[in-house]
Amino acid sequence: MERRKASNGSAAAFIWVVLLLVLPLRLSGLALTVHEVECVYEFVHFEGDLVSGNFVVVDHNIFWGSDHPGVDLIVSSPHGDTVHTSKGKSGDKFEFKAPSGGMYKFCFHNPTKIPESISFNIHVGHIPSEQHLAKNEHFDPVNVKIAELRESLESVTLEQRYLKARDARHRLTNESTRRRLIFYTVVEYLLLMLASVLQIWYIRRLFSKSVAYNRV
């Protein structure tokens, strides 16, 4: 009988591991265009669930500016309380425990008049306690460990998306800086050429006046 229970527990654990590897990760990835205010809603099932995510402003053109002014992110609970705030950031990560279940609101505020494209990723994680699982002394701890492993994998995936979005933003920033450098270099050469032409013209004019004076 004990061997049969152990065998059933091992089989169930194997099924959970297979589901862990096969099922898609519960991540929400969005691409937003924020003009003034743009809000995203995410439902949290349980109180105490870990809500984590990140955002990156990916395509802001800084050709005429020195840096990005950033956007604001305000997260509100179902009761209207502010649970997280990020001010003036071009990219940031957040993490908090949900004070209650329900619909949470993530609002981006753009202080500039230029529309901004934002890569936004969010994940709601839930690790069940042993009290919420079927009463099996061998099976309960396995479920908890599997849930923790799944949350760890989703956290790694979330971090990879954040780094990928930041890498895309850095490439665009480098490209914008390169174009700005080329533009300023061309303008500098044109000004130097103009100054040289004016100097030559001025010197020739002085010599022409000197020769005319000597003839007189």
mmCIF file of all heavy atoms in Angstrom, residues 2 10-11 15 19 22 45 64 66 84 91 94 97 112-114 128 130 152 187 204 208 211 215:
data_model
loop_
_atom_site.group_PDB
_atom_site.id
_atom_site.type_symbol
_atom_site.label_atom_id
_atom_site.label_comp_id
_atom_site.label_asym_id
_atom_site.label_seq_id
_atom_site.Cartn_x
_atom_site.Cartn_y
_atom_site.Cartn_z
ATOM 1 N N GLU A 2 1.922 1.255 0.823
ATOM 2 C CA GLU A 2 2.806 2.415 0.884
ATOM 3 C C GLU A 2 3.521 2.613 -0.437
ATOM 4 O O GLU A 2 3.708 3.738 -0.903
ATOM 5 C CB GLU A 2 3.815 2.248 2.018
ATOM 6 C CG GLU A 2 3.156 2.294 3.400
ATOM 7 C CD GLU A 2 4.187 2.130 4.499
ATOM 8 O OE1 GLU A 2 5.373 1.941 4.143
ATOM 9 O OE2 GLU A 2 3.807 2.202 5.677
ATOM 10 N N SER A 10 4.612 9.996 -7.071
ATOM 11 C CA SER A 10 5.660 10.235 -8.069
ATOM 12 C C SER A 10 5.045 10.497 -9.441
ATOM 13 O O SER A 10 5.498 11.367 -10.178
ATOM 14 C CB SER A 10 6.602 9.032 -8.134
ATOM 15 O OG SER A 10 7.211 8.815 -6.880
ATOM 16 N N ALA A 11 4.011 9.720 -9.774
ATOM 17 C CA ALA A 11 3.359 9.928 -11.072
ATOM 18 C C ALA A 11 2.713 11.300 -11.140
ATOM 19 O O ALA A 11 2.819 12.000 -12.150
ATOM 20 C CB ALA A 11 2.319 8.828 -11.304
ATOM 21 N N ILE A 15 3.591 14.429 -13.654
ATOM 22 C CA ILE A 15 2.597 15.117 -14.484
ATOM 23 C C ILE A 15 2.679 16.625 -14.280
ATOM 24 O O ILE A 15 2.619 17.412 -15.234
ATOM 25 C CB ILE A 15 1.186 14.595 -14.159
ATOM 26 C CG1 ILE A 15 1.057 13.131 -14.613
ATOM 27 C CG2 ILE A 15 0.117 15.450 -14.840
ATOM 28 C CD1 ILE A 15 -0.240 12.476 -14.192
ATOM 29 N N LEU A 19 3.492 19.481 -17.073
ATOM 30 C CA LEU A 19 2.631 20.643 -17.296
ATOM 31 C C LEU A 19 3.395 21.936 -17.123
ATOM 32 O O LEU A 19 3.171 22.913 -17.832
ATOM 33 C CB LEU A 19 1.441 20.595 -16.329
ATOM 34 C CG LEU A 19 0.410 19.499 -16.590
ATOM 35 C CD1 LEU A 19 -0.645 19.512 -15.492
ATOM 36 C CD2 LEU A 19 -0.246 19.672 -17.955
ATOM 37 N N VAL A 22 5.333 22.426 -20.311
ATOM 38 C CA VAL A 22 4.570 22.513 -21.554
ATOM 39 C C VAL A 22 3.685 23.746 -21.594
ATOM 40 O O VAL A 22 3.590 24.434 -22.610
ATOM 41 C CB VAL A 22 3.719 21.235 -21.741
ATOM 42 C CG1 VAL A 22 2.781 21.396 -22.937
ATOM 43 C CG2 VAL A 22 4.628 20.031 -21.928
ATOM 44 N N HIS A 45 -6.366 37.521 -8.692
ATOM 45 C CA HIS A 45 -7.357 36.609 -8.107
ATOM 46 C C HIS A 45 -7.327 36.586 -6.580
ATOM 47 O O HIS A 45 -8.378 36.535 -5.943
ATOM 48 C CB HIS A 45 -7.128 35.191 -8.641
ATOM 49 C CG HIS A 45 -7.439 35.046 -10.099
ATOM 50 N ND1 HIS A 45 -8.711 34.856 -10.581
ATOM 51 C CD2 HIS A 45 -6.629 35.090 -11.191
ATOM 52 C CE1 HIS A 45 -8.689 34.763 -11.895
ATOM 53 N NE2 HIS A 45 -7.436 34.902 -12.298
ATOM 54 N N TRP A 64 16.961 66.162 -31.058
ATOM 55 C CA TRP A 64 17.076 67.570 -30.692
ATOM 56 C C TRP A 64 17.184 67.767 -29.190
ATOM 57 O O TRP A 64 17.307 68.892 -28.726
ATOM 58 C CB TRP A 64 15.873 68.346 -31.218
ATOM 59 C CG TRP A 64 15.770 68.313 -32.701
ATOM 60 C CD1 TRP A 64 14.836 67.660 -33.435
ATOM 61 C CD2 TRP A 64 16.637 68.939 -33.640
ATOM 62 N NE1 TRP A 64 15.055 67.841 -34.768
ATOM 63 C CE2 TRP A 64 16.172 68.630 -34.934
ATOM 64 C CE3 TRP A 64 17.781 69.742 -33.516
ATOM 65 C CZ2 TRP A 64 16.781 69.082 -36.073
ATOM 66 C CZ3 TRP A 64 18.387 70.197 -34.670
ATOM 67 C CH2 TRP A 64 17.890 69.872 -35.928
ATOM 68 N N SER A 66 18.640 66.385 -25.142
ATOM 69 C CA SER A 66 19.778 65.755 -24.490
ATOM 70 C C SER A 66 19.409 64.456 -23.813
ATOM 71 O O SER A 66 20.229 63.574 -23.659
ATOM 72 C CB SER A 66 20.391 66.710 -23.452
ATOM 73 O OG SER A 66 19.419 67.067 -22.482
ATOM 74 N N HIS A 84 1.644 51.668 -6.165
ATOM 75 C CA HIS A 84 2.994 51.829 -6.722
ATOM 76 C C HIS A 84 3.011 53.075 -7.597
ATOM 77 O O HIS A 84 2.040 53.383 -8.298
ATOM 78 C CB HIS A 84 3.414 50.613 -7.545
ATOM 79 C CG HIS A 84 4.765 50.774 -8.188
ATOM 80 N ND1 HIS A 84 5.939 50.580 -7.505
ATOM 81 C CD2 HIS A 84 5.107 51.143 -9.455
ATOM 82 C CE1 HIS A 84 6.951 50.810 -8.316
ATOM 83 N NE2 HIS A 84 6.476 51.147 -9.493
ATOM 84 N N GLY A 91 12.358 53.877 -18.113
ATOM 85 C CA GLY A 91 12.290 52.436 -17.944
ATOM 86 C C GLY A 91 12.398 52.107 -16.469
ATOM 87 O O GLY A 91 13.172 52.732 -15.749
ATOM 88 N N PHE A 94 8.892 47.025 -11.313
ATOM 89 C CA PHE A 94 8.085 47.164 -10.111
ATOM 90 C C PHE A 94 7.693 45.787 -9.588
ATOM 91 O O PHE A 94 7.661 44.798 -10.340
ATOM 92 C CB PHE A 94 6.828 48.007 -10.372
ATOM 93 C CG PHE A 94 5.916 47.444 -11.431
ATOM 94 C CD1 PHE A 94 4.922 46.522 -11.110
ATOM 95 C CD2 PHE A 94 6.052 47.839 -12.751
ATOM 96 C CE1 PHE A 94 4.088 45.999 -12.075
ATOM 97 C CE2 PHE A 94 5.214 47.328 -13.722
ATOM 98 C CZ PHE A 94 4.233 46.406 -13.387
ATOM 99 N N LYS A 97 3.009 43.182 -3.406
ATOM 100 C CA LYS A 97 2.013 42.187 -3.043
ATOM 101 C C LYS A 97 0.635 42.833 -3.066
ATOM 102 O O LYS A 97 0.425 43.898 -2.495
ATOM 103 C CB LYS A 97 2.307 41.611 -1.661
ATOM 104 C CG LYS A 97 3.461 40.630 -1.646
ATOM 105 C CD LYS A 97 3.562 39.909 -0.314
ATOM 106 C CE LYS A 97 4.670 38.860 -0.352
ATOM 107 N NZ LYS A 97 4.752 38.122 0.931
ATOM 108 N N THR A 112 5.057 64.937 -22.087
ATOM 109 C CA THR A 112 5.400 65.621 -23.334
ATOM 110 C C THR A 112 4.229 65.549 -24.310
ATOM 111 O O THR A 112 3.265 64.815 -24.109
ATOM 112 C CB THR A 112 6.643 64.985 -23.981
ATOM 113 O OG1 THR A 112 6.318 63.657 -24.412
ATOM 114 C CG2 THR A 112 7.787 64.908 -22.978
ATOM 115 N N LYS A 113 4.342 66.321 -25.393
ATOM 116 C CA LYS A 113 3.308 66.315 -26.426
ATOM 117 C C LYS A 113 3.607 65.307 -27.524
ATOM 118 O O LYS A 113 2.832 65.177 -28.477
ATOM 119 C CB LYS A 113 3.175 67.714 -27.028
ATOM 120 C CG LYS A 113 2.728 68.767 -26.025
ATOM 121 C CD LYS A 113 2.603 70.127 -26.684
ATOM 122 C CE LYS A 113 2.140 71.180 -25.689
ATOM 123 N NZ LYS A 113 2.020 72.519 -26.297
ATOM 124 N N ILE A 114 4.735 64.605 -27.399
ATOM 125 C CA ILE A 114 5.137 63.631 -28.406
ATOM 126 C C ILE A 114 4.651 62.251 -27.973
ATOM 127 O O ILE A 114 4.949 61.814 -26.863
ATOM 128 C CB ILE A 114 6.663 63.617 -28.580
ATOM 129 C CG1 ILE A 114 7.164 65.017 -28.936
ATOM 130 C CG2 ILE A 114 7.072 62.620 -29.658
ATOM 131 C CD1 ILE A 114 8.673 65.121 -28.988
ATOM 132 N N PRO A 128 0.520 28.644 -4.200
ATOM 133 C CA PRO A 128 -0.463 28.146 -3.235
ATOM 134 C C PRO A 128 0.220 27.607 -1.985
ATOM 135 O O PRO A 128 1.310 27.039 -2.035
ATOM 136 C CB PRO A 128 -1.172 27.024 -4.001
ATOM 137 C CG PRO A 128 -0.170 26.566 -5.012
ATOM 138 C CD PRO A 128 0.615 27.789 -5.388
ATOM 139 N N GLU A 130 0.234 25.103 1.424
ATOM 140 C CA GLU A 130 -0.113 23.690 1.596
ATOM 141 C C GLU A 130 -1.543 23.528 2.085
ATOM 142 O O GLU A 130 -2.172 22.503 1.854
ATOM 143 C CB GLU A 130 0.859 23.035 2.579
ATOM 144 C CG GLU A 130 2.295 22.997 2.069
ATOM 145 C CD GLU A 130 3.207 22.238 3.007
ATOM 146 O OE1 GLU A 130 2.687 21.593 3.933
ATOM 147 O OE2 GLU A 130 4.429 22.284 2.807
ATOM 148 N N SER A 152 9.693 31.248 -10.517
ATOM 149 C CA SER A 152 11.082 31.620 -10.803
ATOM 150 C C SER A 152 11.324 31.689 -12.303
ATOM 151 O O SER A 152 11.979 32.618 -12.800
ATOM 152 C CB SER A 152 12.040 30.620 -10.152
ATOM 153 O OG SER A 152 11.887 30.602 -8.750
ATOM 154 N N VAL A 187 27.466 70.572 -40.076
ATOM 155 C CA VAL A 187 27.236 72.007 -39.849
ATOM 156 C C VAL A 187 28.544 72.703 -39.498
ATOM 157 O O VAL A 187 28.830 73.821 -39.982
ATOM 158 C CB VAL A 187 26.194 72.205 -38.735
ATOM 159 C CG1 VAL A 187 26.123 73.671 -38.322
ATOM 160 C CG2 VAL A 187 24.824 71.719 -39.205
ATOM 161 N N ARG A 204 41.300 89.712 -50.050
ATOM 162 C CA ARG A 204 41.399 90.191 -51.433
ATOM 163 C C ARG A 204 40.892 91.623 -51.547
ATOM 164 O O ARG A 204 41.446 92.437 -52.288
ATOM 165 C CB ARG A 204 40.605 89.279 -52.360
ATOM 166 C CG ARG A 204 41.288 87.940 -52.632
ATOM 167 C CD ARG A 204 40.501 87.141 -53.633
ATOM 168 N NE ARG A 204 41.205 85.928 -54.009
ATOM 169 C CZ ARG A 204 40.733 85.019 -54.873
ATOM 170 N NH1 ARG A 204 39.548 85.236 -55.441
ATOM 171 N NH2 ARG A 204 41.440 83.951 -55.161
ATOM 172 N N SER A 208 43.070 94.728 -52.896
ATOM 173 C CA SER A 208 42.610 95.513 -54.047
ATOM 174 C C SER A 208 42.541 97.003 -53.703
ATOM 175 O O SER A 208 42.914 97.866 -54.513
ATOM 176 C CB SER A 208 41.255 95.014 -54.506
ATOM 177 O OG SER A 208 40.275 95.180 -53.493
ATOM 178 N N VAL A 211 46.236 98.313 -53.629
ATOM 179 C CA VAL A 211 46.809 98.505 -54.968
ATOM 180 C C VAL A 211 46.219 99.749 -55.614
ATOM 181 O O VAL A 211 46.934 100.554 -56.243
ATOM 182 C CB VAL A 211 46.543 97.253 -55.833
ATOM 183 C CG1 VAL A 211 46.919 97.509 -57.276
ATOM 184 C CG2 VAL A 211 47.317 96.064 -55.285
ATOM 185 N N ARG A 215 48.393 103.222 -56.847
ATOM 186 C CA ARG A 215 48.349 103.746 -58.201
ATOM 187 C C ARG A 215 48.014 105.220 -58.216
ATOM 188 O O ARG A 215 48.505 106.006 -58.997
ATOM 189 C CB ARG A 215 47.324 102.975 -59.031
ATOM 190 C CG ARG A 215 47.774 101.559 -59.381
ATOM 191 C CD ARG A 215 46.714 100.827 -60.190
ATOM 192 N NE ARG A 215 47.151 99.508 -60.569
ATOM 193 C CZ ARG A 215 46.393 98.656 -61.230
ATOM 194 N NH1 ARG A 215 45.150 99.009 -61.602
ATOM 195 N NH2 ARG A 215 46.853 97.459 -61.530
#
